[in-house]
Amino acid sequence: MAEKINSENPHSMINIGKIIFFGFGILCIIGSLFFANKGYKQFSYGKNSPYWPRTDGEIITSEEKYTSDSRGRGHYYSEIIFEYVVDGITYTSNKVDFSDFKSTRFVKEYPRGRRVTVYYNPSNPNIAVLKPGFSSKGHFLFIAFAIFFFLFGIGSICLGIKYQTANE
């Protein structure tokens, strides 16, 4: 017969605490895998992009935008969209480089109407960039987040084990 969970039974509270620590730990480890995967993809694309085929393209949107959170804190960023043709199919992309930082300096560097050289992934022409190579700054953040979430997840699981053994 299953044990009922209630505050009167101290063993049921131990099980709930253990489940919370373990569940949170597993979620953190899954989050770390997400960041590690994203960082690896960006690194891989950045590393290979200088050797990708090139085609001509044109900047179709070049705007400086502002975004803010619910507290009113915000920042400016650039929205650069370019168009290019591969094998008769027209594509658009917004990747200036393989970092996730959208510096406002890109608006001056890539004004609307400017002709550009586009580097595109031959396996998937939807993936294209104006500046091949990779930014260590962008990859460092993904690796740092991956390590942080992994260690936090392991720590949470260890606390769950400690919590369980301390209360047995």
Side-chain angles (χ1 to χ4, degrees), residues 45-56:
Y45 289 154
K47 180 180 167 199
N48 294 320
S49 62
Y51 309 105
W52 288 351
R54 301 172 192 166
T55 190
D56 292 328

Side-chain angles (χ1 to χ4, degrees), residues 32 35 142-153:
S32 76
F35 284 113
F142 283 114
I143 291 168
F145 279 132
I147 292 169
F148 173 79
F149 277 100
F150 182 78
L151 292 176
F152 204 75

